[in-house]
Amino acid sequence: QVQLVESGGGLVQAGGSLRLSCAASGRIFSINTMGWYRQAPGKQRELVASITGGGSNNYVDGVKGRFTISRDNAKNTVYLQMNSLKPEDTAVYYCNAHGVLTTTVNRMDYWGKGTLVTVSS
């Protein structure tokens, strides 16, 4: 089965930086799109950034210019570099892999368990 494991979350001060990583493991042939979602207390989960296999990026307006998403296809790993963090960035960040093709199952979506990012003011 496919597993997504996030790492890099923690507590930082406003203006600081943090780098999240997510590694997908399993008998994976390919992943179409990988992305990062976040869910703040009392709010709906939202897409923060996504990246296709070809390297096309998409960001939510609030993080443009501060966050950078990247991926290593050979390692099935996606990263999120977060700079100039703000208290409103505080949330549980979830890794998502969309359109994952494995040896036994047609393309499906998978989620990580999440990593908490807390930005203090």
Side-chain angles (χ1 to χ4, degrees), residues 27-81:
R27 301 179 66 84
I28 299 171
F29 283 140
S30 64
I31 303 173
N32 287 342
T33 304
M34 303 188 77
W36 289 94
Y37 290 72
R38 67 185 179 187
Q39 188 165 23
K43 295 185 178 180
Q44 185 179 358
R45 186 177 299 185
E46 66 173 352
L47 176 65
V48 179
S50 64
I51 182 169
T52 68
S56 297
N57 301 335
N58 185 59
Y59 300 93
V60 69
D61 288 342
V63 307
K64 290 181 179 178
R66 299 189 297 119
F67 291 9
T68 302
I69 189 170
S70 61
R71 66 186 285 176
D72 185 332
N73 291 335
K75 298 180 180 179
N76 288 321
T77 300
V78 63
Y79 307 91
L80 186 66
Q81 179 66 46

